[in-house]
Amino acid sequence: MTALLLLPLLLPFIAPALAERTARRLAPAPAVWVLTLAALALAGGSVIALGALVVTGLLKLPVFASLGELVHPLRTPWDAVAVPSAAAAVGLIAIGVWVLTRSALRQARTLRAAHAQVRRRPVAGDLCVVDSPHPDAYALPGRPGRIVITTAMIRSLDAAEREVLFAHERAHNAYRHHLFLAAAELAAHCHPALRAVRDATRYAAERAADEAAAAAVGDRRLAA
């Protein structure tokens, strides 16, 4: 049983190579879906496997041993394997929850700060201009979604290039790429090997936004 539970924990290690090929060979929009769903499936399998390892270890303890009789046939590994495996699983789950909580809180603070900054600025449609010497632009999800661009970025682009940039960022909001990226980030916190899948998902999302921008302005060369 323990050997079978190790399989979902080992499968994600082959994901990086497959994710890179998927991001390169599939069209960007389908690649975002495929990579995200694959990451969630592999992450879910890992979490379930860790939970099952914890259960098998608990059934070796006298206080929980009688519960094993409720499920037939239930085969648990030897104590020498089950208890250390369960202890390791508990440790991995605790670390994962701690890291995920820290990351979620940090990103929530960043999102709140960005929305607070936009509320203090004049907005034209979905566009918000922020005075800054650093060129930057990003899509800010929400209701409604906003496109935030700095004055330095505006100065660095001509009118046609700005239209490409706006179309790129609007595509991120229109296709809700932030949800896919959040799911990929969640999966990456469930298993370290899935960080490569998260990065491939980000790459695919950027390519999808590039394709949408090229279609919007009708000039692929300019978008590139």
Side-chain angles (χ1 to χ4, degrees):
M1 182 176 178
T2 301
L4 290 176
L5 292 178
L6 291 178
L7 184 60
L9 298 175
L10 296 176
L11 277 177
F13 286 104
I14 68 173
L18 296 177
E20 183 179 355
R21 291 185 179 183
T22 300
R24 291 182 181 277
R25 295 186 179 184
L26 276 185
V32 173
W33 277 95
V34 170
L35 290 168
T36 303
L37 293 176
L40 289 175
L42 290 170
S46 299
V47 172
I48 291 172
L50 288 174
L53 286 172
V54 173
V55 171
T56 59
L58 289 176
L59 293 178
K60 292 297 182 180
L61 301 178
V63 67
F64 295 109
S66 60
L67 297 179
E69 300 300 324
L70 299 178
V71 182
H72 295 285
L74 181 65
R75 296 181 180 180
T76 57
W78 302 321
D79 293 6
V81 175
V83 176
S85 298
V90 169
L92 291 173
I93 291 173
I95 292 173
V97 170
W98 178 67
V99 174
L100 176 60
T101 301
R102 285 188 59 189
S103 176
L105 292 174
R106 182 174 63 251
Q107 293 186 37
R109 286 195 297 268
T110 301
L111 189 60
R112 284 197 301 269
H115 277 289
Q117 183 183 49
V118 168
R119 284 194 295 269
R120 295 193 298 267
R121 304 280 180 175
V123 177
D126 64 347
L127 184 64
C128 177
V129 179
V130 176
D131 187 19
S132 172
H134 306 290
D136 194 13
Y138 57 90
L140 182 62
R143 295 184 179 180
R146 302 294 187 191
I147 306 303
V148 182
I149 184 170
T150 63
T151 51
M153 178 65 85
I154 291 178
R155 288 192 295 267
S156 68
L157 302 175
D158 61 31
E161 291 170 338
R162 287 196 293 270
E163 288 304 315
V164 174
L165 176 62
F166 297 155
H168 174 100
E169 300 301 343
R170 287 187 178 114
H172 282 314
N173 279 337
Y175 295 108
R176 300 184 181 277
H177 286 159
H178 60 284
L179 299 180
F180 293 94
L181 298 181
E185 186 74 26
L186 173 63
H189 284 297
C190 294
H191 197 295
L194 295 177
R195 293 171 185 170
V197 182
R198 173 196 61 191
D199 296 341
T201 304
R202 290 174 177 170
Y203 173 73
E206 291 301 323
R207 285 189 61 216
D210 286 342
E211 292 291 341
V217 300
D219 189 339
R220 296 181 62 82
R221 190 178 187 86
L222 176 63

